[in-house]
Amino acid sequence: MNELLLCESLLINIIQSLIGVFLSIALIQSSIDKLIDRKGNLEWLSDHFSNTMLNNFVPLALLIVTISELLSGLLLFLGAFINIIFSNIDLLVIGFCISAINFIFLFFGQRIAKDYAGAAVIVNYFILNILGLISILFSFFN
C-alpha cells in the first residue's frame, strides 16, 4: 500500500513538473523576445491596440507582461525541478498563480483589441495552467 502511495505521489509530482516546464518554455521565450525586440514589440502592440482604450498604456502593459512572463517562467522552471527533487511545490504554486494572472491580462487585451483568434490561443495556455493548479490541489489529498 505504501509503495502504491509513493508511486502515485511521484506521478503527481512529475505531472505538475511537466506542466510547469511546458509553460515555463513558452513564458521565458516570450519574455526574452520582448526584451530583445522591445522596439518591434512596442510598434506591433501600439498598432494592435491603436483603436482601443488601452492605446495609451501599451508601453506600461508591455513592461508588466514582460516582467510577469519572465518571473512566472523562471519560478515554474525552478519549481519543477525542486518539486521532483524535494517534493516541494511552493515555487510551482507561485509560478502558476502569476502566470494565470498574466494569461488573464493577455486574454483581456486580445478581447479588447477584438483579436478573437489570439484570445482563443491564450485559453489553451490558461487551461493548462489551471490543470497545473488542480494537480497541486490533488497532491494535498494524498
Side-chain angles (χ1 to χ4, degrees):
M1 184 69 169
N2 286 340
E3 290 176 12
L4 182 61
L5 288 176
L6 182 62
C7 184
E8 187 176 309
S9 179
L10 180 61
L11 183 59
I12 291 170
N13 286 4
I14 291 170
I15 291 168
Q16 293 164 345
S17 295
L18 288 173
I19 294 171
V21 168
F22 183 90
L23 289 174
S24 75
I25 291 168
L27 292 162
I28 292 170
Q29 182 278 326
S30 181
S31 64
I32 289 172
D33 177 67
K34 288 174 178 66
L35 290 169
I36 291 173
D37 187 20
R38 179 169 168 71
K39 183 181 176 190
N41 278 284
L42 197 52
E43 288 173 3
W44 186 86
L45 289 168
S46 293
D47 181 56
H48 191 63
F49 292 107
S50 61
N51 297 322
T52 72
M53 64 182 179
L54 300 176
N55 184 36
N56 295 326
F57 300 101
V58 170
L60 178 60
L62 179 60
L63 177 65
I64 291 169
V65 167
T66 303
I67 291 169
S68 68
E69 285 180 346
L70 186 58
L71 180 61
S72 63
L74 291 172
L75 287 169
L76 287 169
F77 189 78
L78 292 172
F81 289 101
I82 290 172
N83 185 33
I84 293 295
I85 296 167
F86 301 109
S87 293
N88 184 307
I89 58 172
D90 294 347
L91 291 181
L92 271 178
V93 171
I94 296 167
F96 281 135
C97 289
I98 294 172
S99 62
I101 293 166
N102 180 67
F103 292 134
I104 289 170
F105 285 159
L106 294 173
F107 180 78
F108 174 77
Q110 295 295 62
R111 295 293 300 186
I112 293 297
K114 297 183 180 179
D115 181 357
Y116 302 116
V121 170
I122 294 167
V123 170
N124 298 309
Y125 290 102
F126 185 73
I127 290 171
L128 183 60
N129 198 105
I130 296 305
L131 288 173
L133 284 169
I134 290 170
S135 73
I136 299 283
L137 279 174
F138 187 80
S139 65
F140 288 123
F141 296 109
N142 278 335

